[in-house]
Amino acid sequence: MSKQFPKSIALEYNEHGKDWIITDIHACLNTLSRLLKKIELSKKDRLFLLGDLVNKGPRSSETLDYLIDLEKQGFIIFKVMGNHDLIWLDLLQGKIKADDKKIMNQQNLKSEKIKNEEYIDFLMRSYYYILLSDNYLVHAGFNFQSNSPFEEYIDMTCIREWELDDRYLEGKRVIHGHIAHPFVKIFEAVEKKAQRIPLDNGCVYIGERPGTGRLLALEAKSFELISQKNKDQNPNSIFDEF
């Protein structure tokens, strides 16, 4: 029987540092490293990554190497599972073929060294969602059409159309990624401290979609929003069907 990663975890706000939330890095390592320098991430802070660490962008394995190294240095990282992270797990575990263009782009296939066990361990230490004080952190969202929305785990990685339902949320906020939103829409939601905050600005879509092209970091307690324009090569986006 294959190992299963934990479904969820409940945490309170960090008493000793900041709680930074970033989503949909999509292998944009240069952009990520610059964003972490901007927020001056320290070992007292916690970094919450809302899925899709890999694919679409140019440096999937190097992004995982970078994050794994941060952990080894003592930085605190929590992750939720995204649909592209699940694809990579299937790839690393031999459930799908690496030469399938729907799985990895050709640049990745030619240039990246895959460290199967280390990457599997890192990705398996993810959650489907995290409850951070009064904030639900999830990759895609929740299927509130279900009678058990907090048990519909695959929906949390890939659902595209969903509405808030306070019968289940009880006033709590949902912060998520998965679908790229124009920066102005994200900024407005953050300014209003809206009950639903989409944080994916489509970093990989720079030059392709108006209002996108930045990686964002949101501090959960202060609602400080920091942005970094894409500093990676404009990728060949072949995963839109996901």
Side-chain angles (χ1 to χ4, degrees):
M1 184 175 179
S2 61
K3 179 181 177 183
Q4 298 294 314
F5 48 86
K7 301 295 193 294
S8 64
I9 189 173
L11 302 167
E12 294 301 321
Y13 287 134
N14 189 353
E15 295 181 356
H16 307 290
K18 296 182 177 182
D19 286 326
W20 289 105
I21 305 168
I22 298 174
T23 191
D24 290 82
I25 296 167
H26 278 304
C28 292
L29 177 57
N30 292 338
T31 312
L32 173 63
S33 62
R34 291 193 183 207
L35 180 58
L36 295 187
K37 288 179 181 177
K38 272 190 177 182
I39 66 176
E40 299 180 335
L41 185 72
S42 80
K43 293 178 183 178
K44 293 182 180 180
D45 300 332
R46 298 185 300 190
L47 182 61
F48 292 86
L49 303 176
L50 304 191
D52 282 4
L53 308 177
V54 295
N55 285 350
K56 292 192 178 183
R59 302 172 70 184
S60 289
S61 63
E62 290 173 272
T63 299
L64 294 182
D65 289 339
Y66 177 78
L67 292 169
I68 291 168
D69 185 61
L70 284 180
E71 278 195 334
K72 290 177 179 178
Q73 292 177 49
F75 289 90
I76 304 170
I77 300 176
F78 289 91
K79 306 177 298 295
V80 299
M81 186 63 65
N83 53 313
H84 284 273
D85 306 318
L86 283 174
I87 290 171
W88 254 64
L89 273 175
D90 283 346
L91 171 69
L92 296 171
Q93 294 172 331
K95 298 178 182 179
I96 51 179
K97 296 180 179 180
D99 59 356
D100 187 339
K101 289 184 181 181
K102 290 184 179 180
I103 308 308
M104 297 175 67
N105 63 39
Q106 291 301 303
Q107 184 175 2
N108 283 340
L109 289 174
K110 292 177 181 177
S111 66
E112 296 194 359
K113 182 179 179 180
I114 307 301
K115 304 173 185 176
N116 290 48
E117 293 304 319
E118 193 170 28
Y119 296 159
I120 290 171
D121 175 72
F122 182 74
L123 291 172
M124 290 292 282
R125 288 185 284 109
S126 302
Y127 302 91
Y128 279 116
Y129 73 89
I130 296 171
L131 179 57
L132 176 59
S133 187
D134 56 354
N135 304 285
Y136 282 104
L137 310 183
V138 66
H139 176 62
F142 295 102
N143 179 7
F144 289 117
Q145 297 298 312
S146 168
N147 291 326
S148 304
F150 298 118
E151 295 178 9
E152 301 291 349
Y153 300 115
I154 296 303
D155 282 332
M156 297 175 197
T157 71
C158 62
I159 194 169
R160 298 187 70 85
E161 295 183 6
W162 58 280
E163 300 293 334
L164 297 170
D165 190 332
D166 211 45
R167 291 178 299 169
Y168 297 102
L169 291 174
E170 297 178 336
K172 295 181 176 64
R173 182 180 295 108
V174 179
I175 302 174
H176 67 95
H178 188 52
I179 297 178
H181 286 70
F183 180 77
V184 64
K185 297 294 184 183
I186 298 171
F187 181 81
E188 288 174 356
V190 171
E191 282 288 291
K192 294 177 182 177
K193 297 184 179 180
Q195 193 174 16
R196 176 176 175 176
I197 296 179
L199 201 57
D200 178 13
N201 186 231
C203 180
V204 291
Y205 297 126
I206 187 169
E208 298 180 22
R209 301 182 184 181
T212 65
R214 293 179 177 272
L215 194 62
L216 305 179
L218 176 67
E219 207 288 308
K221 292 173 289 185
S222 67
F223 273 71
E224 180 181 9
L225 183 66
I226 305 295
S227 72
Q228 172 60 58
K229 187 177 180 181
N230 186 310
K231 292 297 181 181
D232 293 82
Q233 181 181 358
N234 189 21
N236 177 23
S237 299
I238 60 173
F239 291 92
D240 287 349
E241 67 270 29
F242 294 99

